[in-house]
Amino acid sequence: MLEFTKYFNLDDIWAVRKISAAVVNISGRQRMLSQRTAFLSLQLVCSQVATERVNLRAHLLDAINLMEKSHSGLINGDRSMNLPGQTSKEVTAMYFQSPLNLDKQVRDYIAEVRALVQSPDAELEQNNPHLNYITTTAYSQLLEALDAVVTQYQQESEAELLEMDLKHLKLYQETCAAATQAEDQAAELEKALIELKQAQAKLLHSEKMSSLGQLVASVAHEINNPVSFIYGNLSHAEVYTQDLLHLLNLYHEYYPKPISEIQDHIQNIDLDFLIEDLPKVLCSMQIGADRIRQIVMSLRNFSRTDDTEMKQVDLHEGIDTTLLILQNRLRAHPKRPTIEIVKDYADLPMVTCYAGQLNQVFMNILSNAIDALEEGMGNREEIAGEILPTIRIRTEVTHPDYVTVRISDNGPGIPLEVKSRVFDQFFTTKQVGKGTGLGLSISRKILVENHQGSIRCESQPGEGTEFWIEIPVQSTQEQSAVKQKSKALNS
């Protein structure tokens, strides 16, 4: 192992990984900031409260300043953000050449946001030219350009890490091959070689997985890279630990009577217990790392931001992934018991849809159900112990070319005057800062406009709420193709 470290600087590995993670994370954050500033701009124009507009202007300035700093750091470097400022030819072309010209797009976008912030209240209307530019750009050409450069950064990061891993693997093989020449260590080194190859395969797989997921708000980038570092190095730590423990056993065998100072230190640290417990600690860390890694993979399956066309998917898988992400909110806390999930799944066919968009619909409705149950428990604390908060999810095939997903809760229900507005844009009954009034309106747009489906709300005060989602099994294009084929066969 000492021979190996002479040829491979572990500090260099960490530095390269840290820089790669920072570049990918911050480029992904630019995408999130463009979306956030567009949303804040809409809020600023729609707000009629003077104090709220002041706060929104401040939030917009903070977001755009951060976006400008990150943009400058990606191009010119910023040591505080671990950005090297050295971009590849491909990335440089994306920033400064056609067709993207991302540098100009970002600077123009920042200028428009600043102009909107500086606009007097009298000009803050829906037809404000700055607002029109911001909302149009943030969700079209700027978004596409930011997605393109993030993808390029990821590909370059993956290639760089893969090259480093291959060099790493080669050094492992050379080191182990040299060590096997010693007859007295042949058996131990052969075992170590097998373990190191397995660990290397896991590390390569983990690094590849870290570049696959791209979440809407860059959460996957913030979690996946550090988890990969931990997960990949735990196997090495276990091998190193076994080597050190074996070395201690050899010392104990050939030097059974150490000096008194060593004996005192052995007693102080309780060496026997340490030798017994250390492998257990590493095993627990491995289990924890595996669990976090599973959650990260679920996040990737949930987001599916790379879906640019409809695909056949299993709706139950999307619902279950969403429930896994919300698992922490379902657990019990002092004001309410655990929220029970009751699944009544039918045998559904594969549905042609935009999977990421449907997952967002499930997330919005399930989050609202949890909020309603928490509100209901808070308003009825005297009987909260007698109420078991429950969310029921039912699926079935209807019409027969449609599938229906029904999500219900046993919360306080929705008053009639509120029920008629639940799908209105910016309408919310939640406290300021807890709701945007966009979740259900976006969900309806996804289902009706993008999938030719429908959504409706059934609720009575005191009797809970149920949302009905209907989605065609086949897309409109597929249905047309089937009809044309049937007509051709009949003729």
Side-chain angles (χ1 to χ4, degrees), residues 324-387:
L324 177 61
I325 296 172
L326 292 171
Q327 188 174 34
N328 186 59
R329 294 198 61 195
L330 298 173
R331 296 192 181 103
H333 60 68
K335 290 188 177 181
R336 65 153 175 81
T338 299
I339 297 177
E340 182 181 1
I341 301 296
V342 179
K343 300 177 183 178
D344 185 7
Y345 287 171
D347 186 12
L348 297 184
M350 300 293 282
V351 176
T352 303
C353 64
Y354 297 105
Q357 295 183 13
L358 284 189
N359 288 343
Q360 186 62 53
V361 172
F362 298 144
M363 173 67 76
N364 291 337
I365 295 176
L366 288 169
S367 296
N368 285 344
I370 295 173
D371 292 339
L373 290 171
E374 290 182 342
E375 180 184 354
M377 295 294 104
N379 293 337
R380 298 179 287 181
E381 292 183 0
E382 68 278 1
I383 60 173
E386 304 174 8
I387 300 175

Side-chain angles (χ1 to χ4, degrees), residues 429-447:
T429 59
K430 299 177 183 178
Q431 298 178 2
V432 177
K434 291 189 176 182
T436 62
L438 291 173
L440 290 178
S441 64
I442 291 174
S443 298
R444 183 173 64 175
K445 180 178 180 181
I446 289 173
L447 292 168

